[in-house]
Structure formats: structure tokens, C-alpha cells
Amino acid sequence: MRVGFKLFAEAYSPIEVVRQAVRAEEAGFDFVEISDHFHPWLHDQNHSGFAWSILGSIAAKTSILELATGVTCPFVRYHPAIVAQAAATTALLSDGRFVLGLGSGERLNEHVVARGWPSASTRSAMLRESIEIIRLLWSGGYRSYRGRHLELEDARVFDLPERLPPIIVAGSGGPAAKIAAEMGDGLFATEADRDLIAQYEKAGGSGPRYAEVSLSWAPTEEAALQSAHKLFRFSAAGWKVQAELPNPVNFEAAASVVRESDIAESFGYGPDPEPHLERIRAYADAGFDHLALVNAGPDVDGFFDFYVRELASALK
């Protein structure tokens, strides 16, 4: 099992996110993955730096740490040609340490370019076409593409790495698992869902299985849960709501009725390592082998120390 750290770019400045990545490498994490947002989820988070610039800086300041997007929507706000170029460049700058995580996105980030927000089924089709375009451009030469939703005209990515980045596809149901199996190199999820992995394997998937594990470290359980509620109460409504709301103000309204107790079951929290390890084991037992630990606590350096002191030896 490989253990990573989630760089929560919605809650920290770009400079601080880079610092955290350096600390993650020092703490012995295998990889970091960063959210690719235009907006934060909530006003309490108050940040949202450009992920690709941050990744370039991390690549320059680390040496063995793997980097990943967790995840990028390669259509609407971006065109897949831009994602293909950005991923290839990041792979070169990181000496092959980059993994491209792709998903069907959220209205929160994509509506800003005023191109509308497609239905879930259309987004799945657009994700398929996007992966086809990215792989086409990565095969070299000038390329054109005409799909049902997306087009490419006489384009070439000139700087390609010798080792192309793996594409990890995010999803929470059968259609996404099928796309991950048929077109990706691995699966990305946020829930410890055995059925999702079974669907992925049934569709022929055999690659790495990434997941985010929600934790919150603080010196007391009360402080840990309070911080998790402050930063992550947006998540209580589930993915169908998360994908559809357009702005932080809408998430603030939707999360206004969420209590600390409503999110307690989805986090390992407090100063005791056992609740954290129990939460991590649930994902490992479900079949995930690349676990990105998310710290929703108020002290990120305290979490790194806690990881080195209490968690690392139990997970390696």
C-alpha cells in the first residue's frame, strides 16, 4: 500500500500548499494529490490557487515525491488539449513523478467560463472523449479529432515525457468505473466502496486504486471535530449535491443545517491514533492501495508530526 497526503488547496494559500508538499516528502509520504478548483467549497476555506502552477513549484522543491491531480475535469473550464499539454509538462518538470487524475467535475468550478453545465450522462461522454483526445495528443504528431461533444484541430504537444503520466479516473458508480477500466490506468474514489472496485474489476480494470481518507488531528476530539465541521461540512450532502451547486454561497446555505455529529461518522478524528487507523483500514480492506490522507484539523504541522509518530509505522 502507498500512502499519500491530500493538498487541500481550497483551505491554504499556494505558497503554504507548496510548503506542505515539502513537509509531506520529509514525513515519508509516497505521493501528494492536489484538488484542481477555481472556487473553494466554502467561504471559511477562502483559497483556491491554480493547481498546475503549484504542481510545477512542488516538482522543483521535491525529489522523490509523486504528484497527482485529485482530480482535474478535462472539459468545460479546460479543453483536453490544454490538460494534455499541462500534464506532459508537469511530468517533465517532475522527472516522471506525475499522475493525471481525471473526473467529470463540479459546477462549482466549471460554470465560470459560461459554457453551461451538462447533465451527468453527457459529462461521462465528454470525459471519454477527453481521454481519447489526451491520449491522441500524447501519441505525438499533429492530431485532429471530431467527437459528439469535443473537437480538436491540427494540434500537437511538442514536449512529451519519455514515460507518459498514468491516467486515474474518478468515479462513484458503475459508468465511471467502466470508463476507468476501459480508458484509464487506475481508479480514484472518495468512499470505501467495495462494490465500486468490483465493478471496476468486472469491467477489466486492474490498475492502482486511489482513495481519499478523511481525518482530522487535534490535541482533543472536540477541537478535531470542530475543525472538520468548519472545513468539510460541505461534504455531508453527498456527491450529487456537490456536483451541482455553483458557488461557495450555495454550499454555505446547503451546509447551514449540517451539525458536527453529521460528519463525525465519516472522519477519523482526535489525538488517539486508533480512530485514524480504523478509518484508513476501512479503505485498505475495501481494496484501495493508494490512500491519500486528508487532514481537516487546525494544525497541519501537528498532523505531520502525528503521522510520523503514530501512523507511519502501522501503515508501511
Side-chain angles (χ1 to χ4, degrees):
M1 183 171 66
R2 294 177 65 78
V3 182
F5 179 73
K6 174 62 181 281
L7 297 169
F8 190 38
E10 301 92 303
Y12 300 97
S13 73
I15 293 171
E16 170 60 14
V17 171
V18 173
R19 188 193 72 85
Q20 290 180 19
V22 173
R23 283 246 29 208
E25 183 174 71
E26 293 169 350
F29 283 97
D30 298 308
F31 66 95
V32 291
E33 52 117 332
I34 185 170
S35 46
D36 187 352
H37 273 226
F38 191 88
H39 287 151
W41 300 101
L42 300 166
H43 291 137
D44 281 335
Q45 296 166 352
N46 203 36
H47 292 282
S48 195
F50 187 53
W52 297 96
S53 298
I54 296 171
L55 284 166
S57 184
I58 293 171
K61 295 187 177 184
T62 58
S63 57
I64 60 174
L65 190 70
E66 292 183 1
L67 320 176
T69 50
V71 294
T72 291
C73 177
F75 51 87
V76 186
R77 179 170 47 118
Y78 300 126
H79 186 279
I82 305 304
V83 175
Q85 183 189 35
T89 298
T90 304
L92 287 168
L93 292 173
S94 62
D95 295 322
R97 293 182 281 134
F98 179 65
V99 174
L100 178 60
L102 296 178
S104 56
E106 307 96 9
R107 185 191 293 262
L108 174 71
N109 304 302
E110 307 306 317
H111 82 279
V112 299
V113 294
R115 293 182 56 207
W117 183 235
S119 66
S121 61
T122 300
R123 297 199 304 270
S124 290
M126 294 176 79
L127 180 59
R128 279 185 172 273
E129 291 187 9
S130 295
I131 296 173
E132 289 177 351
I133 290 172
I134 290 168
R135 293 204 184 279
L136 184 65
L137 286 168
W138 284 356
S139 67
Y142 286 93
R143 300 291 179 172
S144 296
Y145 177 97
R146 184 180 296 274
R148 182 178 177 185
H149 304 284
L150 298 168
E151 295 185 11
L152 179 75
E153 182 179 340
D154 202 24
R156 176 182 174 184
V157 175
F158 277 81
D159 290 293
L160 289 171
E162 186 173 323
R163 175 181 174 271
L164 294 170
I167 294 177
I168 309 299
V169 179
S172 58
K178 189 174 181 182
I179 294 174
E182 294 176 355
M183 307 190 68
D185 301 302
L187 177 70
F188 184 99
T190 57
E191 297 182 3
D193 188 348
R194 290 176 181 269
D195 291 339
L196 180 64
I197 289 181
Q199 291 171 329
Y200 171 67
E201 293 177 340
K202 183 178 179 180
S206 59
R209 299 168 296 279
Y210 285 73
E212 293 180 356
V213 185
S214 298
L215 308 175
S216 183
W217 180 86
T220 67
E221 288 187 358
E222 292 78 12
L225 188 56
Q226 182 180 40
S227 181
H229 177 264
K230 177 181 179 182
L231 294 177
F232 277 81
R233 64 188 183 277
F234 70 89
S235 65
W239 183 250
K240 290 185 178 181
V241 173
Q242 286 176 254
E244 299 299 332
L245 297 182
N247 282 303
V249 65
N250 305 107
F251 279 95
E252 293 284 358
S256 63
V257 296
V258 176
R259 301 162 298 179
E260 290 182 7
S261 58
D262 294 326
I263 66 169
E265 291 185 2
S266 59
F267 276 82
Y269 63 92
D272 183 352
E274 191 52 40
H276 298 262
L277 290 170
E278 182 179 352
R279 185 75 181 158
I280 293 166
R281 291 188 194 110
Y283 284 83
D285 292 345
F288 292 95
D289 53 19
H290 286 64
L291 304 182
L293 308 188
V294 183
N295 175 49
D299 178 3
V300 67
D301 288 300
F303 175 80
F304 283 128
D305 294 339
F306 172 71
Y307 173 77
V308 171
R309 184 177 66 249
E310 302 286 357
L311 302 183
S313 61
L315 299 176
K316 296 295 186 177

